[in-house]
Amino acid sequence: AQKITQTQPGMFVQEKEAVTLDCTYDTSDPSYGLFWYKQPSSGEMIFLIYQGSYDQQNATEGRYSLNFQKARKSANLVISASQLGDSAMYFCAMREGPNTDKLIFGTGTRLQVFP
Amino acid sequence: GAVVSQHPSWVICKSGTSVKIECRSLDFQATTMFWYRQFPKQSLMLMATSNEGSKATYEQGVEKDKFLINHASLTLSTLTVTSAHPEDSSFYICSAPTGTLGGYTFGSGTRLTVV
């Protein structure tokens, strides 16, 4: 069964606008961590934001915020004030349980920012 | 911050030969290293987990005799693709948990092409 689901293979957004990238997850473990990474065409993985399952508040990092809805098991990434340099693949990932460091990735969303 | 140096960044080899990919943690000790494979326009698929001083743990469907993993020291993990075939052509990337928020540092990846 798919643990991490990203239903948007591609998204377009105009520069300076906000965009939401969807991510839903599936776990029965009460302790887990959710991550978002950006992968430009060079292939490097750039960490954007982290949300722990017990965190009371939604995580924010600069222009990135995570809309964490625990009951719905969703962890959507919101990018505000999009920039041309935001064009890349975006992956949602989950670390499941307190006793593992294994990180499982979703299928990714390709974001394209146009002027 | 924690850095993982991955080499080579790209390699072309002939069918039937073996290729070794190295991931070296430069400023921290990596007791665990995760190895991922990423086909074009697809997600990162976890292949195996290497632990310093012990045998690697392979994910279901990954041939352990084909993808040899060695983690002989706290700063070096290697992946050897043995008897490579064109279908092994892919992007291979390593990742180590760093124990900090944000959790992981990734190598820059190796693009393997088997001809």
Side-chain angles (χ1 to χ4, degrees):
Chain A
Q2 193 80 316
K3 292 271 189 178
I4 296 280
T5 303
Q6 294 180 254
T7 57
Q8 306 154 315
M11 289 284 284
F12 287 90
V13 65
Q14 190 165 30
E15 202 176 5
K16 300 179 185 176
E17 297 295 311
V19 63
T20 298
L21 306 184
D22 295 341
C23 174
T24 58
Y25 57 93
D26 181 25
T27 181
S28 57
D29 201 304
S31 176
Y32 53 90
L34 297 159
F35 300 76
W36 276 93
Y37 287 89
K38 173 184 177 181
Q39 187 182 44
S41 55
S42 60
E44 63 184 307
M45 296 295 286
I46 301 169
F47 166 73
L48 297 178
I49 199 165
Y50 167 79
Q51 180 86 42
S53 59
Y54 295 118
D55 292 345
Q56 296 294 315
Q57 293 187 322
N58 287 347
T60 60
E61 289 283 350
R63 293 188 299 112
Y64 305 107
S65 59
L66 201 150
N67 184 1
F68 182 45
Q69 299 196 28
K70 198 169 182 176
R72 294 185 180 181
K73 293 188 176 179
S74 75
N76 299 339
L77 176 71
V78 181
I79 305 174
S80 62
S82 297
Q83 302 171 356
L84 296 177
D86 293 336
S87 295
M89 280 293 290
Y90 288 80
F91 290 99
C92 180
M94 178 172 68
R95 179 180 60 216
E96 186 176 27
N99 298 317
T100 179
D101 286 324
K102 195 185 290 190
L103 198 60
I104 305 300
F105 286 82
T107 51
T109 296
R110 179 165 296 282
L111 176 66
Q112 294 190 60
V113 182
F114 59 94
Chain B
V3 175
V4 169
S5 176
Q6 183 170 349
H7 292 281
S9 55
W10 61 270
V11 58
I12 302 173
C13 71
K14 290 184 177 180
S15 280
T17 61
S18 296
V19 172
K20 181 185 281 189
I21 300 169
E22 290 189 352
C23 279
R24 207 175 282 273
S25 58
L26 297 186
D27 48 3
F28 70 104
Q29 293 183 330
T31 54
T32 300
M33 191 74 73
F34 298 103
W35 288 93
Y36 293 87
R37 177 169 55 183
Q38 185 181 28
F39 292 111
K41 299 185 179 181
Q42 294 189 24
S43 185
L44 280 74
M45 299 302 297
L46 182 64
M47 299 173 64
T49 303
S50 73
N51 295 290
E52 186 266 337
S54 63
K55 287 184 179 180
T57 305
Y58 290 82
E59 296 299 306
Q60 196 171 11
V62 177
E63 300 174 60
K64 59 181 68 176
D65 293 333
K66 180 167 187 61
F67 298 100
L68 299 180
I69 289 174
N70 185 276
H71 197 146
S73 78
L74 289 171
T75 58
L76 178 64
S77 177
T78 61
L79 166 67
T80 301
V81 183
T82 63
S83 186
H85 291 284
E87 56 265 30
D88 298 324
S89 298
S90 188
F91 187 67
Y92 293 86
I93 191 165
C94 60
S95 171
T98 59
T100 61
L101 190 67
Y104 301 84
T105 187
F106 285 79
S108 53
T110 297
R111 209 164 291 278
L112 170 64
T113 303
V114 185
V115 297

